[in-house]
Amino acid sequence: MKKSVFLFSAIALGVLFPQGHHYSFLIRYLIMLILFCSLLDLKIDAKSALSPRLGIVIAMMMAIGGLTAWIGNWFSSEIALVAFVIAMAPTAAAAPVMTRFLEGRVDYVMSSVVVTNAFSAIALPLVLPIISPVEQAGINIMALLNTLTIVLLPLACAQLLQKTAPKIVSSLQPFKSAAFYFWMIAIYLATAKATHFIETESTSSWTIVVEIAAVSLTLCALNFGMGRWLGGQDWGQEMGQSLGQKNTLFSIWVCLTFLTPAIALGPMFYIVFQNLYNSYLLAQKPKLGAS
């Protein structure tokens, strides 16, 4: 069965059975399991970690965030905040997993996860007070601990096992395929959380909800498109994932904790759009391989 069918099914189940939102706290641990499984045999390349292309990804995050927030202000401060929070979201911890499935350079995307999460954790507390008066102090340390732990702990464990217990790494290799199914569970839980929020907790009018969805869709297309264009033929896939596949769970946490629930609808919609696009990429992969 094609991986894309699993992706669509996970999203559909999240919409039809939002009761899973009660277990959304498991997403954090699922992402850590996904990364650990995917990074068991990964050799971190210093050249990729220090690639100037990572600077381009961060520069584009800032440029798209600033430009879309400015344009969003023409409509409302709420739309501006939605656009800014989505654009400044770091690379998803699951992006290296997707890159592995697409047979791309996982080490580069992993470096993007670490660098962009650290950047967003530091940059958002500095900028949000300027954009929104409801932002509170203390986000920096909390965000840094919450995001970097998810990335660095499985990475450190995988690297430690490689150095000290290669036999254990070899014995765990058959379980690497489980990463995809952990990812499906995480997508279901995230979609269920988004669906439950829209159905029961959102106080915004449906007009605002549609506008937020449109902003999310536009930014999803822009992020993936700009990443692929900037990366060109050689690096388009990796830069597309680095810029386009966002750590929306981090963004949702920022919105619900420091902003307003309505703003959280932006990254919630983005979850659906980015995973629909990734499912399309997986569906196209056999065709691309055969051409």
Side-chain angles (χ1 to χ4, degrees), residues 153-225:
L153 185 58
L155 175 61
C157 289
Q159 292 295 304
L160 183 63
L161 282 178
Q162 284 184 34
K163 301 293 184 184
T164 62
K167 289 184 178 180
I168 295 179
V169 173
S170 298
S171 66
L172 291 174
Q173 290 300 317
F175 297 97
K176 285 181 59 177
S177 59
F180 183 81
Y181 301 101
F182 290 142
W183 189 29
M184 292 303 96
I185 297 171
I187 289 173
Y188 161 71
L189 293 176
T191 308
K193 183 176 181 179
T195 302
H196 176 264
F197 183 86
I198 292 170
E199 289 180 346
T200 64
E201 298 182 35
S202 176
T203 57
S204 302
S205 69
W206 279 104
T207 302
I208 295 295
V209 172
V210 171
E211 290 176 355
I212 290 174
V215 170
S216 251
L217 178 59
T218 301
L219 279 169
C220 186
L222 180 62
N223 285 328
F224 278 106

Side-chain angles (χ1 to χ4, degrees), residues 114-159:
V114 176
V115 172
T116 59
N117 273 273
F119 170 74
S120 294
I122 295 170
L124 281 174
L126 298 177
V127 180
L128 281 178
I130 300 173
I131 298 178
S132 173
V134 299
E135 199 277 338
Q136 303 170 19
I139 182 177
N140 185 21
I141 294 176
M142 292 175 65
L144 206 55
L145 291 175
N146 277 278
T147 56
L148 293 188
T149 300
I150 292 175
V151 175
L152 295 182
L153 185 58
L155 175 61
C157 289
Q159 292 295 304

Side-chain angles (χ1 to χ4, degrees), residues 3-58:
K3 290 184 173 71
S4 57
V5 175
F6 280 104
L7 264 170
F8 280 122
S9 300
I11 293 169
L13 285 172
V15 173
L16 295 173
F17 302 101
Q19 294 87 346
H21 78 93
H22 293 296
Y23 305 98
S24 59
F25 67 92
L26 294 174
I27 293 173
R28 171 189 181 93
Y29 306 104
L30 286 168
I31 290 175
M32 294 172 77
L33 278 172
I34 290 167
L35 282 175
F36 176 74
C37 291
S38 299
L39 301 177
L40 272 173
D41 59 354
L42 177 65
K43 307 295 183 184
I44 299 296
D45 184 0
K47 184 177 179 180
S48 294
L50 300 174
S51 172
R53 293 180 183 86
L54 290 179
I56 295 174
V57 170
I58 290 177

